[in-house]
Amino acid sequence: MFRTALRNVFAHKARLLMTVLAVMLGVAFVSGTLVFTDTLGSAYKNQSAKSYDNVAVSVEHDGEGKGLPQSTVDRIQAINGVDKAAGQVDGFAGVADKNGKLIGQGWSSTGANYTPTGDYSFSTGAAPTKDGQVALDKETADKAGVKVGDSVRIAGNGPVKSYALSGIFTTNDGAVSAGGTLSLFSTAEAQSLYGTPGYFDSVTVTAKGGADDAQLLDAVVKVLPKDAHAQTGTQLAAEQAKSIESNFSSMKTGLLAFAGIALFVGIFLIYNTFAMLVAQRTRELALMRAVGASRKQVTRSVLGEAVLVGLLASAIGFGLGIGLAAGLRPVMSSFGMKVPGGSLLISPVTVLAAFAVGVLVTLVSAYLPARRAAKIPPVAAMSSVHATPQGRSLVVRNIIGSVLTLLGAGLIVMGAGQTTDSGRMIIAGGAFLALIGVIVLIPFLSRPVIALVRPLLIGVWGVSGKLAGQNAVRNPRRTGATAAALAIGLTLVTGITTLGVTLGQAVDKMTTDNIKADYLVAMAGDGQHMSPDAVKALAAAPGVTAYSPDQSAWLEFAGKGKGTTGQGVTGVNPADIDQLLSLDVTSGSQSTLAKGSILVSDKLAKQQNWKAGETVTATFPDKSKGELTIGGVYEDNEFTNGIVMDTAALDRHLTEKPEINAVYVDFDGGATSANEQKLVDALGANPAIEVMDQQDIRDMFGGIVNTMLNLMYGLLGMALLIAVLGVVNTLAMSVFERQQEIGMLRAIGLDRRRIKRMVRLEAVVISIYGAVIGVGLGAFLAWALGETLKDSIPGYALVLPWERIGIFIVLAGVVGILAALWPARSAARLNMLTAIKTE
């Protein structure tokens, strides 16, 4: 039977090609993901470990105080076995290129003091030793186009300063490895920029030869203040490695999920292929039964073919996946992401997973056709090769499909009624059941659905249209399996698109409804705070009519019961905030802000049972307490922390620099290029500060949604490609088994042009049928998921993107036409006399 299986594989090479392609693409996705993430994770872990090679003990400051004083560093240095104890301080440092633009992404632009224990190797120049000097990593220096002795413009959260470049170095620093920048200053300069003179954020300890790290750790812990903790360099490296592994594990899981979708779609293609091969070999299989082959032997023969196909496709796909993993490195580099060097990591687990996935998917897909082959009676050897499929078994199938679909729909509706993660989990379970149910029902639904468009086919395309409609429903199982593959892809694409467009419009509406300012000025680095000097510079810019900082702080409030509750506070300029930000006050008055009162969001007021006019006790950052009057309650929005108060009242109780997230600015004459330039000039052309008008603000908040949409489309592209291969495969094999019929049609007068049209229309009907099913299910799932999100997203309202849905359906039709090119051409070129004689 193995020889029979091998012979059949070689005898049907062309007909198995699409199956090989489907499995190959899925396996390439899986193996590429595993190799790439394993290689990248290992490279980053190795590089991270290198940066801790010389670290015996690392000390970190906890809390919000000034940091670790020099006296602590001195006590650590005095410990027996310590070679050097170096204090470190760091923060944001945006480096400008020759055009004044920020190099790299703001979140990865780092500045720190140079320490002799640091992981630096100077290729030219030397470390900074005094104020006004800076050293840059080699990649940043190259991008800036500077050499030792040149002037470099660098911005923290304050004014831009020019520094003399003292040296250029290489490093294993993680931020630089990810494509970031690292600027090194003298210790005094770094402390003035990022902290308090004489204090450090951390201390790195190196050991003398023969000293034990664990013993040093015990000695260091004894001299530390209460607001600090220490660990060995080995522990720190292990912690970092665990963090990197966790990050890449999440990436791997996400990519493998899309690979799973692609393989799931491929199951329908493989199933169709083997089902048609079995149907075309009815006489051959019956003859095998007649000469003594048992049912098990016939089943094993078909499954043996599946194993051979799976092994071949897996081998090709695995090689393609390795090539994909290798090719992703230069792609990431082209986007400014520096990838550590190193050879590809191909683990035995990856090899086993790739081949196991490929072979198992092929076996599972071929199992039902193999069982059907085993049931062919020996007497069928004397009957027609292409027997008409019986519909009797569809009754049980339709009942099962209906139950699964109704159960899944019920769970989806139930989950939509909840606004928690549990609701989304219920929807996920319901979606799985509903999708399986619809897939089971697709053959049953094909007849009534396609019957609706048959009059259009006949009216426009005549005989070709009539034959295409009949052919599309001739074999419901085949049509259903082909349409199901497209339906799965369109379900996901439609659901993601609907949610994305809805969220995008909600974010856009939220932005335009709440932010009235002409400009929003903020730091380029995520989480970085602006300097009060920058706020003063913006307020003094010519033409500014209103401004307000968006300042954050944390206060403790005494509850009406026992204990206190912590709450974020937004500090604003009460004189101008009503011109810049919409605070829809529902009770009380916004004007009370200028009198020292606070405004409270309706959500927080409801939680704490607060009302306008009440007085609450607050504990400020400097630990002092005071009474604050609730001057008004406003509708909750995404741009405030729940409590709004005057920055002047807040600043009196701060112990550190204020945390200014952004500044709202209004101009005389509105947003114009000239006014924007005035703000840029007022900030000294600071590369680290962004000036955004209303459209930029909308793009900033909505850009995340669009980026995610594009990423999802790219990842789903593999599944859609396999679905298209399924259409090509179905039509090609359908044409093959209908050679005699096509020859008869040619003989009675149907010309080649109409034969081609018949095959193309059949493909279009099947493709659009699958697309309509997918669009409907995807929109339903998007509605359900949206219901669980609407309470947490102000202004959320479901938006059906009809234009995009229309494009999806049209594209499905185009896919059908393209997929039918080869089968239609093959059908039209059949010799009618040869075809008529074909059995």
Side-chain angles (χ1 to χ4, degrees):
M1 297 310 293
F2 175 77
R3 287 198 299 272
T4 302
L6 189 62
R7 179 186 61 80
N8 284 328
V9 169
F10 284 108
H12 304 104
K13 295 187 291 292
R15 281 176 273 176
L16 289 168
L17 176 62
M18 296 301 175
T19 295
V20 171
L21 284 174
V23 179
M24 178 191 76
L25 290 173
V27 171
F29 205 150
V30 171
S31 57
T33 295
L34 293 175
V35 172
F36 179 67
T37 53
D38 286 350
T39 300
L40 217 58
S42 176
Y44 276 114
K45 281 192 286 187
N46 290 338
Q47 189 168 55
S48 175
K50 286 181 183 177
S51 62
Y52 298 114
D53 280 348
N54 297 323
V55 178
V57 177
S58 176
V59 180
E60 296 284 339
H61 175 250
D62 303 321
E64 300 179 354
K66 294 180 179 180
L68 299 167
Q70 181 64 47
S71 58
T72 299
V73 179
D74 294 339
R75 283 196 293 271
I76 295 173
Q77 180 65 67
I79 294 173
N80 185 34
V82 170
D83 182 28
K84 291 179 182 177
Q88 294 174 311
V89 60
D90 56 49
F92 173 77
V95 183
D97 62 15
K98 291 293 187 181
N99 298 317
K101 301 297 183 182
L102 182 68
I103 295 174
Q105 303 295 324
W107 58 268
S108 59
S109 300
T110 307
N113 63 310
Y114 167 77
T115 64
T117 59
D119 180 25
Y120 321 116
S121 176
F122 281 87
S123 54
T124 57
T129 56
K130 58 185 179 181
D131 294 351
Q133 290 185 334
V134 68
L136 296 177
D137 65 274
K138 187 178 186 304
E139 287 77 10
T140 302
D142 290 342
K143 291 175 184 177
V146 293
K147 59 183 183 298
V148 173
D150 288 350
S151 179
V152 183
R153 296 179 73 246
I154 298 179
N157 62 355
V160 183
K161 291 184 179 181
S162 292
Y163 295 88
L165 185 61
S166 67
I168 298 173
F169 59 89
T170 56
T171 178
N172 289 313
D173 183 87
V176 175
S177 299
T181 66
L182 178 59
S183 307
L184 297 179
F185 306 95
S186 67
T187 296
E189 180 80 11
Q191 287 176 333
S192 67
L193 288 172
Y194 306 123
T196 304
Y199 289 84
F200 300 94
D201 297 328
S202 61
V203 179
T204 300
V205 180
T206 58
K208 293 179 180 178
D212 181 72
D213 290 355
Q215 292 179 352
L216 279 182
L217 176 64
D218 293 338
V220 167
V221 168
K222 293 177 182 178
V223 302
L224 293 182
K226 293 181 180 179
D227 58 352
H229 73 276
Q231 57 189 143
T232 65
T234 303
Q235 291 171 335
L236 197 58
E239 188 179 281
Q240 189 75 11
K242 188 176 180 180
S243 175
I244 292 171
E245 185 176 348
S246 175
N247 291 335
F248 279 99
S249 176
S250 300
M251 180 196 295
K252 183 187 296 184
T253 301
L255 291 174
L256 288 177
F258 284 94
I261 293 169
L263 287 166
F264 185 58
V265 171
I267 286 174
F268 297 95
L269 188 160
I270 301 165
Y271 166 81
N272 253 2
T273 301
F274 279 93
M276 287 186 282
L277 284 175
V278 167
Q280 292 166 13
R281 289 158 50 196
T282 301
R283 279 190 177 180
E284 174 191 329
L285 295 170
L287 187 59
M288 289 173 61
R289 292 292 316 282
V291 298
S294 67
R295 287 189 174 186
K296 287 184 178 180
Q297 286 178 311
V298 172
T299 301
R300 285 199 294 266
S301 173
V302 177
L303 291 179
E305 294 177 41
V307 170
L308 292 172
V309 170
L311 285 171
L312 174 64
S314 297
I316 299 172
F318 181 68
L320 187 62
I322 293 174
L324 181 66
L328 281 174
R329 279 188 172 182
V331 170
M332 291 181 69
S333 299
S334 68
F335 283 99
M337 299 179 65
K338 183 184 175 185
V339 181
S343 58
L344 289 176
L345 181 62
I346 304 173
S347 69
V349 173
T350 299
V351 179
L352 288 174
F355 279 86
V357 164
V359 173
L360 283 175
V361 166
T362 313
L363 272 175
V364 169
S365 306
Y367 177 69
L368 288 178
R371 282 193 61 192
R372 197 172 298 130
K375 292 179 181 179
I376 296 174
V379 71
M382 297 179 290
S383 62
S384 173
V385 176
H386 308 306
T388 303
Q390 297 180 356
R392 186 172 53 194
S393 63
L394 287 178
V395 175
V396 176
R397 175 186 180 128
N398 295 337
I399 292 172
I400 295 172
S402 300
V403 171
L404 289 174
T405 302
L406 290 173
L407 181 60
L411 288 173
I412 291 170
V413 172
M414 182 191 302
Q418 303 183 31
T419 57
T420 60
D421 288 340
S422 60
R424 288 185 277 277
M425 292 298 293
I426 293 173
I427 290 173
F432 177 76
L433 291 177
L435 188 60
I436 297 298
V438 168
I439 290 170
V440 173
L441 280 176
I442 277 181
F444 168 72
L445 296 173
S446 63
R447 292 185 184 274
V449 173
I450 294 176
L452 293 175
V453 299
R454 192 177 297 160
L456 175 64
L457 295 172
I458 297 172
V460 178
W461 291 284
V463 175
S464 296
K466 181 178 181 179
L467 291 171
Q470 291 174 343
N471 289 332
V473 295
R474 174 185 292 186
N475 191 326
R477 285 192 179 90
R478 182 185 304 166
T479 298
T482 306
L486 281 169
I488 295 168
L490 266 297
T491 295
L492 296 170
V493 169
T494 303
I496 290 169
T497 299
T498 302
L499 269 180
V501 169
T502 300
L503 288 172
Q505 291 201 14
V507 169
D508 189 69
K509 185 176 184 299
M510 177 180 68
T511 303
T512 54
D513 285 355
N514 288 283
I515 298 179
K516 299 188 291 184
D518 293 327
Y519 292 101
L520 176 68
V521 184
M523 297 294 294
D526 293 340
Q528 301 299 325
H529 300 121
M530 295 182 67
S531 165
D533 294 336
V535 179
K536 293 176 183 177
L538 291 169
V544 170
T545 57
Y547 80 96
S548 175
D550 172 10
Q551 183 174 327
S552 294
W554 187 263
L555 273 61
E556 295 285 339
F557 289 89
K560 291 195 173 181
K562 293 182 180 180
T564 60
T565 178
Q567 178 59 46
V569 174
T570 298
V572 299
N573 175 9
D576 295 339
I577 191 62
D578 61 327
Q579 301 177 49
L580 307 166
L581 194 66
S582 293
L583 294 174
D584 297 324
V585 177
T586 56
S587 64
S589 173
Q590 185 172 324
S591 62
T592 58
L593 273 176
K595 300 174 184 177
S597 296
I598 61 174
L599 300 181
V600 179
S601 72
D602 54 0
K603 185 177 180 180
L604 179 62
K606 186 177 180 180
Q607 289 175 352
Q608 299 297 327
N609 196 23
W610 288 345
K611 294 181 177 61
E614 290 186 4
T615 299
V616 293
T617 302
T619 301
F620 294 96
D622 62 358
K623 304 305 180 184
S624 65
K625 293 186 179 182
E627 300 292 324
L628 295 175
T629 301
I630 300 175
V633 177
Y634 66 94
E635 290 186 7
D636 189 54
N637 65 60
E638 295 296 309
F639 300 97
T640 60
N641 290 323
I643 293 178
V644 179
M645 67 183 296
D646 186 352
T647 52
L650 187 61
D651 288 346
R652 288 195 295 268
H653 300 284
L654 297 180
T655 57
E656 296 182 342
K657 291 179 181 179
E659 296 181 356
I660 301 170
N661 306 308
V663 181
Y664 301 106
V665 180
D666 250 2
F667 251 103
D668 183 17
T672 65
S673 56
N675 286 340
E676 182 175 338
Q677 188 59 46
K678 290 177 182 178
L679 292 180
V680 172
D681 293 340
L683 293 166
N686 192 322
I689 299 180
E690 295 179 324
V691 178
M692 296 173 280
D693 60 17
Q694 282 278 343
Q695 187 58 51
D696 293 330
I697 298 169
R698 293 163 67 184
D699 291 343
M700 176 181 69
F701 287 103
I704 299 172
V705 176
N706 292 330
T707 300
M708 290 302 296
L709 269 179
N710 293 332
L711 178 63
M712 295 291 185
Y713 288 155
L715 292 172
L716 287 173
M718 186 75 73
L720 292 173
L721 176 60
I722 292 175
V724 172
L725 292 177
V727 179
V728 176
N729 194 47
T730 297
L731 291 173
M733 299 190 75
S734 178
V735 166
F736 177 82
E737 72 177 25
R738 283 163 29 203
Q739 290 184 67
Q740 188 179 58
E741 174 190 316
I742 292 170
M744 291 294 296
L745 289 172
R746 289 290 316 283
I748 61 175
L750 200 65
D751 59 21
R752 289 184 174 182
R753 180 171 56 86
R754 283 185 285 183
I755 289 288
K756 286 182 180 180
R757 183 182 298 159
M758 175 188 73
V759 176
R760 285 197 294 262
L761 287 174
E762 181 183 348
V764 170
V765 167
I766 294 173
S767 299
I768 292 181
Y769 170 52
V772 169
I773 296 290
V775 164
L777 188 55
F780 179 49
L781 290 174
W783 164 80
L785 286 171
E787 288 296 299
T788 67
L789 296 169
K790 65 180 184 181
D791 287 351
S792 59
I793 301 176
Y796 181 93
L798 183 68
V799 177
L800 287 175
W802 293 111
E803 299 84 358
R804 298 194 190 191
I805 288 174
I807 290 172
F808 294 156
I809 294 176
V810 170
L811 287 176
V814 173
V815 162
I817 293 173
L818 295 175
L821 289 177
W822 173 47
R825 186 169 179 268
S826 299
R829 295 181 65 185
L830 285 174
N831 182 290
M832 68 179 74
L833 295 178
T834 304
I836 290 172
K837 292 188 295 182
T838 301
E839 293 187 345

